[in-house]
């Protein structure tokens, strides 16, 4: 399984190189529009997003728009080799480079109490989840560290995988512990 996921990571890196920076920018802008139009994102009071790494879909414009709309916006901060926490996004100036050079919020960890019961209300909270590749069933290949799978384990939260179009595959390998996304944008 690990070898299959490693091959997919390699294949996606190769696919990415086929696009110019301008093409990647245009694709990211379209993904941002899709995020902002998504009915669950529009209705959500709280959105958990991610600050993109250089090789991920650039959702910074969507983050800024959601913050401007007054959403409660949170980003992850890596605190160990196995754990991430959520901190409130207070604008780009409040971010600093974290463990992997990713910009992360500098504030204190905040508990979000609306994880339980989202299925009844369906739109209380939405989490945008990055990935190397996704399939149409919502399976995800990440970077292999397991941060998102561990964080999401046992939480009832609407998960929306976010990627560029070339990162969507017919199928990707998955294991029992892998969290399946409720939807995928890209």
């Amino acid at each position: 399984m690990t070898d299959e996921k490693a091959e997919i990571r390699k294949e996606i890196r190769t696919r990415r190189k086929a696009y110019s920076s301008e093409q990647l920018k245009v694709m990211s802008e379209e993904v941002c529009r899709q995020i902002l139009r998504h009915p669950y994102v529009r209705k959500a009071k709280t959105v958990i997003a991610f600050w993109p790494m250089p090789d991920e879909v650039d959702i910074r414009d969507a983050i800024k728009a959601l913050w401007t709309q007054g959403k409660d916006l949170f980003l992850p901060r890596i605190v160990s080799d196995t754990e991430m926490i959520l901190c409130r996004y207070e604008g780009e100036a409040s971010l600093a480079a974290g463990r992997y050079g990713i910009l992360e919020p500098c504030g204190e960890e905040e508990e979000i109490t609306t994880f339980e019961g989202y299925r009844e209300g369906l739109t209380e909270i939405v989490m945008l989840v990055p990935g190397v590749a996704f399939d149409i069933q919502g399976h995800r290949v990440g970077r292999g560290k397991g941060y998102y799978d561990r964080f999401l384990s046992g939480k009832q939260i609407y998960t929306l995988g976010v990627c560029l179009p070339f990162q969507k595959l017919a199928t990707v390998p998955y294991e029992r512990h892998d969290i399946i996304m409720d939807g995928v944008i890209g």
Side-chain angles (χ1 to χ4, degrees), residues 12 15-16 19 23-32 34 57 131-135 162-170 184-186:
I12 296 300
R15 286 183 181 193
R16 184 178 183 82
Y19 295 96
Q23 289 171 311
L24 293 169
K25 181 179 183 283
V26 169
M27 283 188 267
S28 288
E29 289 169 351
E30 175 54 29
V31 170
C32 286
Q34 290 177 34
V57 57
V132 174
F134 295 90
D135 68 19
V162 181
C163 65
L164 294 167
F166 62 84
Q167 294 174 282
K168 284 181 164 178
L169 306 176
V184 178
I185 287 181

Side-chain angles (χ1 to χ4, degrees), residues 5 8-13 55-56 129-134 140-144 162-164 166-169 172:
K5 289 182 177 184
I8 286 174
R9 291 180 186 107
K10 183 178 174 183
E11 170 64 25
I12 296 300
R13 277 193 304 272
D55 63 345
E56 291 176 331
V129 181
V132 174
F134 295 90
R140 171 183 171 270
V141 173
R143 294 184 179 273
V162 181
C163 65
L164 294 167
F166 62 84
Q167 294 174 282
K168 284 181 164 178
L169 306 176
V172 299

Side-chain angles (χ1 to χ4, degrees), residues 34-160:
Q34 290 177 34
I35 290 170
L36 296 172
R37 285 192 311 254
H38 193 282
Y40 291 173
V41 172
R42 291 177 65 167
K43 292 178 186 176
K45 179 181 182 297
T46 302
V47 177
I48 303 168
F50 60 92
W51 200 260
M53 295 177 70
D55 63 345
E56 291 176 331
V57 57
D58 186 350
I59 65 164
R60 292 178 296 179
D61 287 346
I63 290 171
K64 293 169 189 170
L66 292 167
W67 189 51
T68 301
Q69 292 172 13
K71 302 277 187 192
D72 287 332
L73 193 58
F74 295 86
L75 301 178
R77 183 167 76 216
I78 305 300
V79 293
S80 75
D81 288 341
T82 60
E83 185 184 11
M84 68 184 206
I85 62 172
L86 297 181
C87 299
R88 188 173 295 276
Y89 175 77
E90 297 289 354
E92 198 169 341
S94 69
L95 303 176
R99 181 176 288 243
Y100 298 107
I102 305 167
L103 290 179
E104 300 175 335
C106 299
E108 295 298 314
E109 176 179 16
E110 292 199 33
E111 287 294 319
I112 297 177
T113 58
T114 56
F115 284 135
E116 281 68 40
Y118 95 86
R119 298 235 182 253
E120 291 82 18
L122 215 48
T123 58
E124 185 71 22
I125 184 169
V126 172
M127 184 170 193
L128 307 177
V129 181
V132 174
F134 295 90
D135 68 19
I136 57 175
Q137 291 85 27
H139 297 112
R140 171 183 171 270
V141 173
R143 294 184 179 273
K145 299 283 188 184
Y147 286 108
Y148 282 88
D149 290 320
R150 276 189 296 279
F151 178 82
L152 288 166
S153 181
K155 291 183 174 73
Q156 294 182 356
I157 180 172
Y158 186 86
T159 53
L160 193 56

